Amino acid sequence: MVEQILNTTARGLILILYFWAMLTLEGLQFAYGNQPVLRHLDLQVPDGEIHGILGANGAGKTTLFRLLAGWLAPDAGDIRWNGQPLTKRQIAFLETDPYFYPYLKGVEYLRLIRDDQMAIEQWNQLFGLPLHHLVDEYSTGMQKKLAFIGTLLQQRPVLILDEPFNGVDLAGNEMMMAVLRRQEIRSGAMVIASHILSTLTQTCQRISILSGGQIRQTFTREAFDDLEKQVQADASNQLDHILSTWK
Amino acid sequence: MVTMAYFIFIRIKQAYRLLQETGWAILLVLVVVTAALWVPALDKLSQATPSQALFLSLIIGLALQLSRKDRTFLQQLALPAPLVCLADLCLLLGMPAAFLLATGNYLAALAMAGGLGAALLPPGLAAGIRTGRANLSLAVIPLFLFELRATGRQQAGGWLLTALLQAGIWLHIGFFLGTLLLGLVLLSSSFEYLEPKELLPVHHRELIRKWRRTAAIFHLFFSPAYLQVLIWQPGYFWLLVYAIAALETQLALVFFYKYALWQPGVQRLSATLYTAIGLILILLPGGILIAVPLAAWTTRRGLKRIKQWWSRS
């Protein structure tokens, strides 16, 4: 009897969690031709959480993000937000190399995303970009900061950031991370990929390892030290192995 | 709320800045110098029947949509992406349609305007499976005016030459043939530098893709000539087919020759003699019957060589 009640409660909780504001990836599969990239990938990111994705080059991070953004269709599996299929209008995606129209000023770029001069100026106080200059004249880091502001201005429930800190200076990086950590000024569930582990450990609540097309392991904040040790040990072992083959 | 009017205003500003950067003096000279070419071209356009105008506008619409690089940005815009695409098409086709209206060819103008709606596609339809960005380095005016970053940027000479060639093509197919011949002669010099092993295509399929991308740029550049022949000068159809065959043959010869002889450490390779033989064969009556198998053999050798190098390493 007690077992039955516990089972029913557990199922109810799972159901509540399922419809709770949450990004759910279930049994996601994708292949480029005969080359499988994602194999039955499962991931849950609740609203408000920043979830880091860590993986080697070619592990499938960008493919995963393209699937989330709706540019690619999964071969199998579901991507849901609050239990409903995720739509393109629910996603803000900051690419590794964001696209900018030529001959466009920073302020014009942001106004096309959201015509709210006050919000644009407020966000730019954080980064101090020359918004009345052409974006073509910006450095890589400045372009990244502009696209970052654009991503936040969209106020969409799911944010995907692919290598957001690449090319950005130290102060800019710190500011971006500070913004991400402050839930009151940004909204939604967030998935970030980065090759720099420290940027993930400083911003994310959880970090997942993507390997062989699957989420191999997920670390909570308490276990980030273990993750860092594991990454360092893996690199060290690999180096030892290679050095042992040298004459 | 971002309005459509604001988006169109931004597009006009972009076009203005692009022209300003190119330089008004250069543009003025360009307009005057090429007047003898573009006046007859516009005159010919004004004589277009509605079906020809519709066909032309469909081609322009498709070309624009298939080359879009702004899929990611469209998704993030406050405006609906299909409306943005429609606005772009209206701006690009608006000028010829207005010209046709002004010259009294109302039906053709109507067809051209109708083509706007018909050519509307979801943004980035064809680019959905692309993993990289579209990269076209040749200026094709004005189809990719808004999207090509490289267009006109400190390339006044390139603008002038492209405008002359493109406008000339509308005047007579002879311009196309002349340009093609010049291109075929210069082709070998474009492929004489060998890449180091690190930059070699890692698979023979990638090599084939690289070859086809190169061919696509040529075809895109000559596409006005194809249209010109198909619509207004159908009598030259077989000449056009021969010209395309010649281009493909010579390109395969030049492109694969360097891979057929690729070796580590070799940086430059003169293919002049080999390609000159190909060119002479193409120009001689019936010579293409020898040039085509020669190109096929070179292609096979090039692919085989790359496969061998990668299987060894």
Side-chain angles (χ1 to χ4, degrees), chain A residues 71 89 97 100-102 154, chain B residues 14 70 72 76 133 149:
Chain A
W71 303 354
R89 285 273 159 192
D97 292 312
F100 297 99
Y101 285 134
Q154 291 168 61
Chain B
Q14 279 179 276
D70 58 346
T72 52
Q76 294 173 51
R133 286 164 185 270
R149 281 164 179 267

Side-chain angles (χ1 to χ4, degrees), chain B residues 30 46 69 131 138 189 213 223 235 240 244 270 302-303 311:
Chain B
L30 189 74
S46 73
K69 292 195 293 181
T131 51
L138 283 174
S189 60
R213 274 202 300 272
S223 56
L240 179 73
I244 293 172
S270 177
L303 290 170
S311 61

Side-chain angles (χ1 to χ4, degrees), chain B residues 127-147:
Chain B
I129 50 165
R130 275 186 204 160
T131 51
R133 286 164 185 270
N135 183 21
L136 297 167
S137 54
L138 283 174
V140 182
I141 302 166
L143 296 188
F144 308 101
L145 188 67
F146 295 130
E147 303 309 327

Side-chain angles (χ1 to χ4, degrees), chain B residues 214-238:
Chain B
T214 313
I217 290 174
F218 279 98
H219 289 307
L220 191 68
F221 185 70
F222 291 127
S223 56
Y226 303 165
L227 272 180
Q228 163 83 347
V229 169
L230 290 173
I231 300 176
W232 285 290
Q233 296 182 337
Y236 291 112
F237 178 77
W238 290 110

Side-chain angles (χ1 to χ4, degrees), chain A residues 140-212:
Chain A
T140 313
M142 287 158 84
Q143 289 189 350
K144 209 59 177 275
K145 288 177 194 171
L146 184 72
F148 181 71
I149 297 176
T151 309
L152 294 171
L153 274 175
Q154 291 168 61
Q155 294 180 310
R156 294 188 178 170
V158 178
L159 273 74
I160 310 165
L161 312 180
D162 194 0
E163 303 289 353
F165 310 107
N166 271 12
V168 181
D169 54 35
L170 184 66
N173 258 335
E174 289 300 328
M175 182 55 79
M176 283 166 80
M177 286 193 281
V179 168
L180 295 178
R181 283 193 296 262
R182 296 285 279 272
Q183 259 193 314
E184 67 269 26
I185 52 170
R186 59 107 190 138
S187 58
M190 197 180 296
V191 186
I192 307 183
S194 176
H195 290 297
I196 308 162
L197 183 57
S198 60
T199 56
L200 290 183
T201 54
Q202 285 178 52
T203 48
C204 301
Q205 275 93 44
R206 289 190 299 157
I207 298 173
S208 292
I209 309 281
L210 179 64
S211 169

Side-chain angles (χ1 to χ4, degrees), chain B residues 46-238:
Chain B
S46 73
Q47 291 160 16
T49 64
S51 57
Q52 287 167 346
L54 183 64
F55 178 67
L56 200 64
S57 55
L58 274 170
I59 295 289
I60 293 175
L62 282 169
L64 177 72
Q65 296 298 1
L66 297 180
S67 71
R68 289 197 86 104
K69 292 195 293 181
D70 58 346
R71 285 158 57 240
T72 52
F73 188 59
L74 284 177
Q75 200 171 317
Q76 294 173 51
L77 277 179
L79 291 162
L83 264 183
V84 172
C85 297
L86 186 63
D88 280 348
L89 285 168
C90 286
L91 285 169
L92 283 176
L93 291 183
M95 283 185 290
F99 174 77
L100 290 177
L101 274 170
T103 52
N105 202 337
Y106 303 113
L107 279 175
L110 197 66
M112 194 165 256
L116 290 174
L120 185 67
L121 286 170
L125 186 75
I129 50 165
R130 275 186 204 160
T131 51
R133 286 164 185 270
N135 183 21
L136 297 167
S137 54
L138 283 174
V140 182
I141 302 166
L143 296 188
F144 308 101
L145 188 67
F146 295 130
E147 303 309 327
L148 265 178
R149 281 164 179 267
T151 303
R153 198 168 288 186
Q154 297 166 349
Q155 296 174 5
W159 265 73
L160 190 70
L161 182 68
T162 309
L164 274 169
L165 295 176
Q166 299 275 20
I169 282 166
W170 288 97
L171 192 68
H172 198 271
I173 193 177
F175 261 87
F176 161 63
L177 294 174
T179 312
L180 179 67
L181 190 62
L182 189 68
L184 292 180
V185 171
L186 295 175
L187 207 55
S188 64
S189 60
S190 313
F191 290 94
E192 62 187 22
Y193 287 96
L194 303 182
E195 54 260 67
K197 192 174 180 186
E198 291 73 27
L199 294 177
L200 266 188
V202 292
H203 196 274
H204 68 278
R205 281 200 202 108
E206 198 186 317
L207 186 62
I208 291 171
R209 272 198 291 273
K210 193 175 173 185
W211 166 45
R212 292 321 305 162
R213 274 202 300 272
T214 313
I217 290 174
F218 279 98
H219 289 307
L220 191 68
F221 185 70
F222 291 127
S223 56
Y226 303 165
L227 272 180
Q228 163 83 347
V229 169
L230 290 173
I231 300 176
W232 285 290
Q233 296 182 337
Y236 291 112
F237 178 77
W238 290 110

